[in-house]
Structures are given as C-alpha cells and as structure tokens.
Amino acid sequence: MSVGCCGAACTSQTAISPRFRKALWVALVINAVMFAVEIVGGFKSGSVSLLADAVDFAADAANYGISLAVFSMGAASRSRAALVKGRSMAAFGLFVLGKTVWAAIGGIPPEPLTMGAIAVLALAANGSVALMLYAFRNGDANMRSVWLCSRNDAIGNTAVILAAAGVFGTGSRWPDLVVALLMGGLAVFSGVSVIRHAHKELSHPHKSSVQHPTIHLASRSDPKI
C-alpha cells in the first residue's frame, strides 16, 4: 500500500503498525506491575520521589491503554486523546510538586536501601519500555506522548537512584525532595509539549498527515500487505 492510497482518511485498525501495538501492550503490563511494587516500596521507605514515580507508573499504564483504544479512530480522535494524556501528565506534575512542598514542611528522611533497590528495578523496567518505543518517537502527537512517558520514566528512575544515594550519604530528606521536585517539573513540561503538538495537529490535520505518513501505514514487514 502506498502513501498515495492512504492519507489522512486512512483510519482502520489494521493501518497501524502491529509492532507498535505489541509494544504498547507490553508497556502497559510492565507499568501496571511496577505501580504496585513502587506504591508498597514508597510507603515502606517513606520516599516522596518513589511514591511520585509510582503514581507516574499508574498514569502511564492508563495512557498506554488510551493509545490502544484510539488505534481504530481517525487522526483527529488520536490527537484529542493526546490532549487528554498531555493534560494528565501536566496534572501529575502539579500533584508531585504539591506533595513535595508538603513533605518539605514536616517529612522525615526516607529509608535509602529500599528506596534505591526499587528504583533500580524500576529503571530496568522503564529502560526496556523506552527501547521498545524509541522507534516510534517521531510519530503523531499520540505516539510522541507515549515515547515521552517512557523517556521521562527512565530519567526519573535514574534520579531516584541518585536521591537514594544522597539520602544514604547525608541522612537528609532533601535529596529525595529535590528529585521529586525535578520529576514534577519534567512532567509539567512534557505535558505542555504534548498538548501543543496535539493542538497543532487539530489545527492543521492535512499538514500533520503529510509530516508523519508512516503512522497511517501498516508495517512493511507485515505479511498481510
């Protein structure tokens, strides 16, 4: 199937790369499992950054589910879904910023060993997801938001590991709070980026389809083509 045969109106479910669909299902499962692990670990260790990362896992699992749900919809519907995801990313960032301020007022230092061990596990999980989704980072706003989620997670996990080392070395809660603050700011920035991208696609749908024609085509390795 050529680009000329498809275009902006090509919206069938089979027009989406099966590799991207499979990657999203794997990412959804990984994020759901790690959400449960980090919630338990966050409360056990008392780490604000670990709890923030747990909420991020939950948000990402929901975002991957939304991406799978809108595969059979048109480009405009996918862009609107990206708006929802961008707003959820920004809202998550604001939540983390508020939680960090609250913890700074009356918090105690977290337990660094549990915090660090779970952060390493989370980094391994998110690193594998980021590698799977790297090839799709230049798609439409919906696909871009998925890539940003996985990238932010890997960055956040690395930061939590460094925070655990800082808490261990200083006995202070501030490394944990600083990392949580950075994670919240990154989530807000990325959410705004996705929102702007989605608004641009909704304002210029034909231009968007020309810039990213591969998102409407099935994988060339698909034997059905």
Side-chain angles (χ1 to χ4, degrees):
M1 182 182 293
S2 68
V3 175
C5 295
C6 202
C10 186
T11 61
S12 66
Q13 191 169 7
T14 58
I16 302 297
S17 169
R19 293 191 303 113
F20 185 52
R21 179 185 297 279
K22 181 179 179 180
L24 282 187
W25 273 113
V26 174
L28 191 157
V29 172
I30 290 176
N31 277 265
V33 171
M34 287 307 305
F35 163 70
V37 172
E38 284 203 327
I39 279 290
V40 174
F43 280 111
K44 182 177 180 180
S45 65
S47 169
V48 178
S49 61
L50 205 58
L51 285 175
D53 204 37
V55 176
D56 191 28
F57 270 118
D60 287 348
N63 285 340
Y64 297 139
I66 292 174
S67 294
L68 287 165
V70 300
F71 266 167
S72 61
M73 301 179 184
S77 296
R78 293 197 299 270
S79 294
R80 292 189 186 98
L83 276 177
V84 174
K85 293 194 289 184
R87 288 165 182 165
S88 69
M89 291 169 68
F92 157 74
L94 293 175
F95 168 79
V96 171
L97 294 177
K99 183 69 174 178
T100 303
V101 172
W102 180 263
I105 296 175
I108 61 175
E111 198 284 296
L113 296 182
T114 300
M115 175 184 172
I118 294 178
V120 169
L121 178 62
L123 177 60
N126 277 320
S128 63
V129 171
L131 287 175
M132 283 191 302
L133 298 175
Y134 182 78
F136 308 101
R137 68 192 184 282
N138 292 322
D140 62 8
N142 188 51
M143 297 172 77
R144 178 174 171 78
S145 68
V146 169
W147 156 246
L148 286 174
C149 282
S150 63
R151 184 206 66 180
N152 290 356
D153 286 346
I155 295 174
N157 297 146
T158 303
V160 174
I161 293 173
L162 295 176
V167 172
F168 181 80
T170 65
S172 169
R173 69 179 183 271
W174 285 105
D176 183 48
L177 298 179
V178 169
V179 168
L181 184 67
L182 292 174
M183 291 173 67
L186 179 61
V188 172
F189 177 82
S190 296
V192 171
S193 175
V194 172
I195 291 171
R196 288 176 176 174
H197 194 149
H199 275 304
K200 182 178 180 180
E201 288 185 348
L202 289 171
S203 299
H204 305 89
H206 297 295
K207 181 178 180 181
S208 174
S209 65
V210 171
Q211 288 178 335
H212 307 295
T214 56
I215 64 173
H216 302 301
L217 298 176
S219 171
R220 291 186 179 274
S221 61
D222 190 340
K224 295 181 180 180
I225 298 179

